[in-house]
Amino acid sequence: MSDAMPYRNAPSLGGRILTLYLLLAITPALAPLSWFVASEAAPGIAWAQDGDDGGDDGGDDGDDGDDGDDGDAGAGAGGAGGGDASSDSTPPVSMAVVPLGGADAVQAEVLGIALNRSQIHQVLQRGFSIIRSASLSQSDISYTRFATPAGLSVAQAVALLDAEVAPGRFDFNHVYRLAQAPCNGQHCADRQLIAWPQDQTERCQIRVRVGMIDTGVSSQRSGVPSERLTRRSFHGGKKPSDTDHGSAVAALLAGQGHGGSGLLPHSELLAADVFFSRSDGTLVTSAAAMAEAMDWLIARSVRVINISVSGPDNLLLKRSLETAARKGVVVVASAGNDGPHARPAFPAAYPQAIAVTAVDARRRLYAKASRGAYITLAAPGVSVFVPTDGKGSYRTGTSFAAPFVTASVAVLLSQDTPLAGIETALQSSVVDLGAKGRDPLFGWGLLRAPAKCR
């Protein structure tokens, strides 16, 4: 009898089935609660399970399918294999865009920055829903993308949350575009213009870890061999975005073998692909994607980051630039191609960035270049020859001026130039253009290659 005692009060089979049914029925309702518990217990948690360090940094996503060359997962320096772990779990940003009087933002969503559990709950109580939450480990900042309630514009949403939840913690998920323009076919004289030799084999063998934020990069198109190229996507897809622009910038920075070489043909290149294709074929990115890309590059110990992208001021992006400066990473950004009357272009206009404008072979300012007090330097950016596959190509825009400054910064860093002295070292050898001293068209003047590479 004693052996049977434990079973005396056991539920019947029917009772056990009913209990199981009730548990299954209430589990979905507990999911939001479990999310809050997890976020409260572990402030540094990557809430969207984005697999940030899941052995993905050496990988590519099978590249763009156009060359059969880039199945090089794990080939990049420090890479542990296996493609981009985050792409499978990171939801893509919608490409519906809304104008905001001189800037654009992703439609029907806003960003909440460094919110606590209570503030997130208050946002949800007002009819918003969470698209994605993430923690940027290098910036020590968390952010959340919220979908706005029906009938509420993004401007109204930010104003509402600023007023009722947490002032200064909300912003638009601004949209950024490539700083390129159609080439006008003029003769290329870019390297001669700044005294950068075509062949740096003897004089300029620089091996510095360089980062870039752009579109996808193809190893074959750019001429950057897979052993020197590490790629990761931040747009939520398993395939790279269009690789034309990113491959051209990569070729200019570190290409080798397509009828010429890049400026730093011996350096390691880490390329963050942040762009999304809209239905009309245009490429745009968001503040959130750029912030995550910067966090990844900083964590991978790059010394300098090239950003050939421009757009509006944004709180999350600003924090990322501040983090880069605090961590000793130099950011070089294109000044933008929106013309003489445009608003300042970011991230170039942040004080932590070196802002680069474009000039032609006659040292004339590129007509569509943005202007302003934030401009730091001018560099070749009109009909710049880029050693991409085939016979190369000619490119125009401040996108293609920035790599010249990025390469010069890399050279200075390789010579142990103190971070505080980088901009001074660049200024010391410029050719002054325009008004004497720093001016809103050319900054301090035309870049000259560091002495080591002349």
Side-chain angles (χ1 to χ4, degrees), residues 97-177:
V97 171
V98 57
L100 294 171
D104 292 334
V106 178
Q107 190 174 42
E109 70 173 75
V110 296
L111 297 175
I113 300 162
L115 302 178
N116 60 33
R117 170 185 168 182
S118 173
Q119 290 164 337
I120 292 174
H121 184 64
Q122 291 178 58
V123 175
L124 298 180
Q125 284 182 321
R126 285 161 173 77
F128 293 78
S129 58
I130 293 172
I131 300 172
R132 169 178 166 77
S133 293
S135 176
L136 305 180
S137 61
Q138 298 302 304
S139 302
D140 195 25
I141 299 172
S142 62
Y143 79 87
T144 303
R145 287 168 51 203
F146 293 102
T148 57
L152 195 67
S153 71
V154 290
Q156 292 169 332
V158 169
L160 171 71
L161 297 176
D162 264 342
E164 298 185 3
V165 178
R169 295 292 184 90
F170 297 93
D171 205 342
F172 309 107
N173 195 3
H174 280 115
V175 165
Y176 298 79
R177 291 177 169 82

Side-chain angles (χ1 to χ4, degrees), residues 14 39 58 75 79 97 108 120 127 166 251 285 291 300 351 368 381 388 403 415:
S39 63
V97 171
I120 292 174
T285 187
R300 293 334 183 252
K368 294 183 179 180
T388 47
Q415 296 176 306

Side-chain angles (χ1 to χ4, degrees), residues 13 32 67 86 97 103 106 158 205 231 243 252 278 314 353 365 407 418:
L13 177 61
D67 49 50
S86 70
V97 171
V106 178
V158 169
Q205 290 192 16
R231 290 164 285 192
T243 60
L252 188 54
R278 298 182 61 195
N314 180 273
L365 186 69

